[in-house]
Amino acid sequence: MEKIYLAIVLAPLFGALIAGLFGKKIGNAGAHWVTIIGVAIAFGLSVYTFYMHVWGGLPTFNAAVYTWAATDSFQFDIGFMIDHLTVLMMVVVTGVSLMVHIYTVGYMQGDPGYTRFFSYISLFTFSMLMLVMANNLLQLFFGWEAVGLVSYLLIGFWYKKETAILANLKAFIVNRVGDFGFLLGIAAILMYANTLDYATFFERLPALASVKVEYWPGVEWSLPTVIAILLFIGAMGKSAQVPLHVWLPDSMEGPTPISALIHAATMVTAGIFMVARFSPVFELSDAALSFVMVIGAITAIFMGLLGIVQNDIKRVIAYSTLSQLGYMTVALGASAYSAAIFHLMTHAFFKALLFLAAGSVIIAMHHEQDIRKMGGLWKFMPITFVTFLIGSLALIGFPGTSGFFSKDSIILAVEASKLPGATFAYWAVLLGVFVTAFYTFRMFFLVFFGEGRMDAHTKSHLHESPKVVTWPLILLAIPALFIGYFTIDPLLYSGFFGDAIVVLPIHDVMATLHEHFHGAWAMLLHGFVSPVVWLSFAGVGLAALMYLGFPQTLPRFFAHILAWPKRVLDGAYGFDDFNAAVFGGGSRLLGRGLWRIGDVRLIDGLMVNGTAFLIGATALQWRKIQTGYLYHYAFVMILGLIGFMTWIVFLR
């Protein structure tokens, strides 16, 4: 199997290299075929690996492929850990990536960077596979930084567009903040456990559970708490949790397939996967779990509220991604790791579907993204309309869809948690259901219903997208509808993850849920009397009333009476202004101070000009001694001789 694991990783890398280095020679068709085939091979082998590990009885594979570096104290390996958590992530990553690759053939047609784009997205798939398949922190960090690098290249793919350049810089800088904490966490593990290997670290973890560290006098911290929080800071950057969320909405400046690949199934879920992988550490710290839960709850509700005031179709979906990542993070904090991964999987399908369906709309609208300039598209784009509806229903948790089973499980798990902050988190995610339903169907109604608000030229050319675009939508709509129903029992209640996820009995909220779980069908029937579903219906109903019933009056009425909250939401709570004023302005102020004091006064003034002045002044004085008169030189020689004789007579 080791050769198969290598083939899964290397196939997308091979495609990326061929498309990137020889794109001009093989042409556009060659570039997309070589990358699609590479990802298709990775997907097929990932499905086979999933089958062999889940049903074929293969045990967990954990071995080094080769040693990258070795010292007397440490050994750094490149290797794989293939367990049930890994194989699930492999199938999700390669499956969604394959759909995005196929879709991109239609979406990026005619773009001058066509071959470069395919090279980047295939390289991104390779990087994500290296991340999820790693068996040590060194390789995890390599994949972590590699997806960050490629996302930087993809967000700023249209490098002549200023907003895209600013967006990729923002993503790069904000993720560096999170990565600083992540690196400190890795360093702490290496320092105290003397290893970066997962299995070895987890074996040594019980001995570290009681270790205390003191970073300032009189204040002791539990080592597992420090490690867990530092690792989670890395996840906050990668998975866009408050306050390190600001990069994700702006990253919509990249092409739409990137939004589906990065912001649905891959990079933003890397932090969720990492926390689940390190569940043995988080289980040793109630403080870390509560911290994770509260951060996730804040992200879930407050980022969802921002979706209400967005008018860019991709930004609405982007803020819903932020909110859903908050739900996953809340589940992690409640020790419902399996529920978090379950929602990660279902979210990957329905959110990729929504992004790609939005891209289909953008193509039809000649790259217009303002939902206020759309309307009535269901008549022209029936396939996009139906698939967009399926994605929207899954997002709001409509009974029977995949999102219903995963989101409802998270809410129930948080309700069962006894950790500090669980009550706040429960009400936040519960209110988030109403908010999600409202902004999702506000977008849906404005795009597909009502009178067309586009210009006459655009309206005359409206038509369904080509099959290369619509077929990925149909294929993603199938799991968005059904995968939750068929997988909730094995993933949450039948021990699917085994030893890959560790939960202490005192934190095992999923065991409490299992007592009341009587199958997916029973959960579906109970959903129609659940307050969660009725909150969702209420959000859809309010959106219908405002944007279908009274579109000319009600939105303006609410905008008027809620003018102050709307200003707060329009300003995104002031995070960007704060960052620009404090961090951006502070950095510029510090830079000017260092330039004026350090560069101008110290280096140029004192060291360079000051040295030259000192040498010149000294030389000017010494020049006075060089008179050119012979008797002056004779007088100096006599003084020297007298001094020398005095030293011989009196001092020797």
Side-chain angles (χ1 to χ4, degrees):
M1 288 295 291
E2 184 176 326
K3 292 182 179 178
I4 291 178
Y5 304 146
L6 280 170
I8 292 171
V9 170
L10 295 179
L13 176 62
F14 178 78
L17 292 175
I18 295 298
L21 298 177
F22 306 103
K24 291 184 179 179
K25 293 183 178 180
I26 63 178
N28 289 356
H32 71 234
W33 274 115
V34 72
T35 52
I36 289 173
I37 291 171
V39 175
I41 291 171
F43 174 65
L45 293 177
S46 294
V47 172
Y48 174 73
T49 302
F50 184 92
Y51 172 80
M52 293 301 295
H53 279 270
V54 176
W55 289 292
L58 273 184
T60 296
F61 176 87
N62 182 20
V65 176
Y66 68 91
T67 299
W68 179 67
T71 68
D72 294 336
S73 303
F74 308 112
Q75 182 168 308
F76 302 113
D77 295 322
I78 301 299
F80 301 134
M81 174 181 278
I82 311 298
D83 55 17
H84 286 195
L85 175 60
T86 305
V87 294
L88 179 64
M89 292 295 298
M90 289 163 60
V91 171
V92 170
V93 169
T94 55
V96 174
S97 180
L98 179 60
M99 294 300 102
V100 171
H101 275 71
I102 296 171
Y103 175 94
T104 301
V105 175
Y107 190 88
M108 296 297 289
Q109 190 173 18
D111 193 285
Y114 189 90
T115 59
R116 177 166 57 94
F117 189 83
F118 273 95
S119 175
Y120 286 171
I121 59 176
S122 192
L123 183 62
F124 188 94
T125 306
F126 157 75
S127 304
M128 192 67 192
L129 286 170
M130 286 292 285
L131 189 158
V132 300
M133 294 171 68
N135 73 341
N136 62 85
L137 281 156
L138 174 69
Q139 185 175 328
L140 172 70
F141 190 70
F142 164 78
W144 191 273
E145 292 303 302
V147 294
L149 169 64
V150 184
S151 69
Y152 169 83
L153 297 173
L154 287 168
I155 294 168
F157 179 78
W158 288 318
Y159 54 84
K160 295 182 180 180
K161 187 179 178 183
E162 185 179 0
T163 52
I165 298 302
L166 294 175
N168 72 357
L169 284 172
K170 192 174 188 179
F172 183 83
I173 293 169
V174 173
N175 273 275
R176 296 292 71 74
V177 177
D179 291 350
F180 179 69
F182 190 42
L183 266 176
L184 290 178
I186 294 174
I189 291 173
L190 183 61
M191 177 179 177
Y192 287 96
N194 203 38
T195 184
L196 292 179
D197 181 75
Y198 293 164
T200 306
F201 171 57
F202 294 151
E203 288 174 2
R204 297 174 182 176
L205 191 56
L208 303 176
S210 59
V211 174
K212 303 292 183 181
V213 292
E214 188 174 300
Y215 293 107
W216 51 84
V219 180
E220 287 188 336
W221 286 69
S222 166
L223 179 62
T225 299
V226 172
I227 292 175
I229 290 177
L230 289 173
L231 293 178
F232 179 66
I233 290 173
M236 287 171 64
K238 197 67 71 183
S239 293
Q241 297 297 289
V242 172
L244 302 182
H245 66 284
V246 292
W247 66 270
L248 193 146
D250 288 357
S251 66
M252 295 298 108
E253 293 293 335
T256 298
I258 295 317
S259 303
L261 188 63
I262 295 178
H263 308 127
T266 51
M267 189 180 91
V268 293
T269 61
I272 307 300
F273 164 79
M274 184 270 291
V275 174
R277 173 63 78 195
F278 282 87
S279 58
V281 182
F282 285 84
E283 284 300 291
L284 297 178
S285 173
D286 285 2
L289 289 173
S290 292
F291 178 71
V292 171
M293 189 189 304
V294 170
I295 291 293
I298 293 171
T299 305
I301 182 60
F302 288 104
M303 295 302 105
L305 288 170
L306 291 180
I308 296 174
V309 298
Q310 303 303 313
N311 296 310
D312 184 311
I313 188 171
K314 286 172 63 178
R315 278 183 171 262
V316 176
I317 305 173
Y319 277 108
S320 80
T321 298
L322 282 169
S323 182
Q324 297 308 304
L325 288 167
Y327 275 84
M328 298 176 209
T329 304
V330 167
L332 295 172
S335 293
Y337 305 99
S338 57
I341 298 299
F342 182 37
H343 194 51
L344 183 157
M345 178 193 69
T346 61
H347 176 266
F349 292 114
F350 67 71
K351 188 53 64 68
L353 172 61
L354 278 173
F355 270 122
L356 296 186
S360 179
V361 170
I362 292 169
I363 293 172
M365 293 292 300
H366 299 284
H367 293 275
E368 175 60 64
Q369 297 182 192
D370 193 331
I371 58 178
R372 295 170 298 182
K373 298 179 181 179
M374 300 179 188
L377 294 185
W378 72 271
K379 295 175 290 187
F380 305 97
M381 310 180 70
I383 297 175
T384 300
F385 167 71
V386 173
T387 53
F388 203 110
L389 175 61
I390 291 171
S392 299
L393 291 174
L395 174 58
I396 71 170
F398 186 84
T401 62
S402 60
F404 163 75
F405 292 102
S406 57
K407 185 186 287 187
D408 216 45
S409 298
I410 289 175
I411 295 172
L412 293 172
V414 177
E415 185 181 19
S417 176
K418 305 300 180 185
L419 288 170
T423 301
F424 165 73
Y426 172 71
W427 287 106
V429 295
L430 194 62
L431 180 59
V433 172
F434 172 82
V435 173
T436 301
F438 177 75
Y439 69 68
T440 300
F441 273 83
R442 169 184 176 265
M443 169 181 64
F444 182 76
F445 293 144
L446 285 174
V447 171
F448 291 102
F449 290 93
E451 294 296 325
R453 297 174 295 278
M454 66 288 295
D455 58 68
H457 174 75
T458 301
K459 190 171 185 178
S460 65
H461 289 82
L462 284 174
H463 59 83
E464 184 60 89
S465 298
K467 291 181 179 180
V468 73
V469 171
T470 56
W471 270 107
L473 299 183
I474 295 170
L475 293 174
L476 285 170
I478 295 170
L481 262 180
F482 300 115
I483 200 169
Y485 181 87
F486 292 106
T487 58
I488 182 172
D489 191 2
L491 288 183
L492 299 190
Y493 304 115
S494 298
F496 174 85
F497 294 105
D499 296 334
I501 289 175
V502 175
V503 181
L504 296 181
I506 193 174
H507 296 151
D508 197 356
V509 294
M510 298 310 297
T512 304
L513 268 62
H514 194 188
E515 296 174 2
H516 303 283
F517 181 75
H518 303 292
W521 182 252
M523 183 176 179
L524 172 59
L525 294 177
H526 180 266
F528 287 100
V529 297
S530 166
V532 176
V533 172
W534 285 105
L535 279 170
S536 180
F537 288 168
V540 175
L542 180 60
L545 184 67
M546 290 180 63
Y547 297 99
L548 294 182
F550 304 95
Q552 302 300 324
T553 55
L554 271 185
R556 293 178 182 176
F557 171 74
F558 280 109
H560 176 70
I561 65 171
L562 299 174
W564 181 81
K566 186 178 184 300
R567 282 198 299 271
V568 173
L569 295 178
D570 286 335
Y573 307 117
F575 276 104
D576 285 330
D577 294 337
F578 177 82
N579 290 337
V582 176
F583 295 109
S587 298
R588 288 190 294 271
L589 183 63
L590 178 62
R592 284 195 296 269
L594 291 174
W595 168 65
R596 288 174 179 171
I597 297 174
D599 197 15
V600 175
R601 296 185 182 180
L602 182 61
I603 297 176
D604 285 347
L606 180 62
M607 297 177 65
V608 177
N609 296 332
T611 302
F613 174 78
L614 179 63
I615 292 173
T618 304
L620 183 63
Q621 298 303 317
W622 280 99
R623 280 177 57 194
K624 295 178 180 179
I625 299 175
Q626 305 297 325
T627 62
Y629 294 111
L630 181 62
Y631 64 88
H632 285 171
Y633 299 142
F635 178 69
V636 171
M637 292 174 63
I638 292 170
L639 288 178
L641 181 61
I642 293 172
F644 179 68
M645 295 297 296
T646 303
W647 177 74
I648 292 177
V649 174
F650 295 102
L651 299 180
R652 288 194 62 181

